[in-house]
Amino acid sequence: MIIPALHRQAAPVDSQAHRNTAVRLPVPSWAHLATTNALFMTAAECLHAATDYPIVFVKAGDDGKGGTDYAPIAVFGLSPGENLYVQEGRWRSHRLPLLMASYPFAIARGENGQFAVCIDSAYEGLSEGGDGSQGERLFDDQGQPSAFARQVTGDLEQLESQIQSTRAIGRRLAELGLLAEKRFDGTMPDGAKVSVDGFFMVDEEKLKALPDATILELQRTGLLHLIHAHWISLGHMRTLLMWRAERAA
């Protein structure tokens, strides 16, 4: 998945163009995400990420059957263009969303349906030293993918599989009629009001109204755990209020 705000100049990894390219990790600065206020998350990572981020659902396009796809996102700010997790280029949480943990790499789907591993050419951690002293090389001297590159490819393929599973989970929640549009209202220390809308949550009353057999299905498939993690994560909206007050001060 290519995210323009994250992968600024995504280009396919190529054995000729990147023969001597080395990649330095970890990423030293996330300053280029300073105006990104949310990011897609896979359903699988939500269970753990709920301890670090508010997680809500947003519309994610047409499902191809006349309905709407929904996707979980991690909320980084309380208004468009605000990212309270970036502080002087550093990320305030130790746990990164998987899309960020995979950076500067990503997978893109071509017109023929084939997947291609891409790299952000704008990433400051790229070098052309060729001897590996400036980071992990993508190709060896014979032009074959390095062990590092093979590991990256495997991780991205697993991430792509999780993205597809997340799409199916969003459709199941919508099919059950569980997603409801909500609004968060908060008050800053100076009395200023803050409202965030345009997102969806799993409605507790609609969940309670489901037949027992459906609740059992959700339990056995792990969806009930995801729903509870989603609810618990919303407490971090208060953390964002506190961080905004700190920034304003």
Side-chain angles (χ1 to χ4, degrees):
M1 177 183 286
I2 301 293
I3 307 293
L6 178 60
H7 312 101
R8 295 157 288 177
Q9 297 177 24
V13 172
D14 180 81
S15 60
Q16 295 302 314
H18 300 108
R19 172 68 67 90
N20 297 314
T21 300
V23 182
R24 295 191 302 277
L25 293 172
V27 176
S29 173
W30 296 104
H32 68 285
L33 288 181
T35 59
T36 300
N37 78 332
L39 192 66
F40 169 84
M41 300 200 92
T42 67
E45 69 180 306
C46 286
L47 296 178
H48 299 294
T51 61
D52 293 81
Y53 304 97
I55 299 170
V56 299
F57 293 83
V58 294
K59 291 182 177 180
D62 193 327
D63 66 0
K65 299 180 181 179
T68 301
D69 268 338
Y70 294 86
I73 61 168
V75 179
F76 301 151
L78 298 172
S79 60
E82 178 182 66
N83 188 335
L84 296 165
Y85 280 83
V86 174
Q87 187 175 45
E88 297 179 351
R90 294 179 294 106
W91 198 256
R92 297 186 74 162
S93 171
H94 293 295
R95 185 186 303 277
L96 294 175
L98 285 180
L99 285 175
M100 291 174 61
S102 300
Y103 184 81
F105 301 98
I107 275 188
R109 186 191 292 269
E111 294 180 358
N112 58 1
Q114 297 285 325
F115 289 104
V117 175
C118 297
I119 190 168
D120 182 10
S121 300
Y123 175 47
E124 304 87 343
L126 302 185
S127 64
E128 299 297 328
D131 62 357
S133 62
Q134 298 301 313
E136 298 283 354
R137 285 185 60 177
L138 297 177
F139 297 93
D140 61 24
D141 292 336
Q142 287 69 47
Q144 298 300 309
S146 65
F148 169 71
R150 294 194 299 271
Q151 179 66 50
V152 165
T153 299
D155 290 345
L156 288 174
E157 289 174 347
Q158 184 177 12
L159 174 57
E160 183 62 28
S161 175
Q162 290 185 19
I163 290 172
Q164 299 306 319
S165 297
T166 302
R167 182 174 291 113
I169 287 171
R171 290 174 180 176
R172 182 58 175 150
L173 292 175
E175 178 185 316
L176 293 172
L178 293 176
L179 295 174
E181 191 164 7
K182 300 289 185 178
R183 187 177 77 175
F184 169 78
D185 293 310
T187 303
M188 298 286 288
D190 62 1
K193 302 297 183 181
V194 176
S195 295
V196 182
D197 54 21
F199 64 88
F200 293 78
M201 288 175 48
V202 174
D203 187 279
E204 185 174 1
E205 294 306 315
K206 291 181 179 180
L207 180 66
K208 289 179 179 178
L210 291 177
D212 289 349
T214 304
I215 294 292
L216 182 59
E217 170 216 328
L218 296 179
Q219 169 67 27
R220 288 181 170 172
T221 59
L223 262 177
L224 203 55
H225 296 302
L226 170 63
I227 291 170
H228 287 149
H230 151 62
W231 284 340
I232 291 170
S233 77
L234 297 175
H236 293 297
M237 295 296 282
R238 299 293 173 185
T239 301
L240 295 185
L241 276 175
M242 179 183 69
W243 285 355
R244 175 185 274 192
E246 288 177 354
R247 182 170 292 186

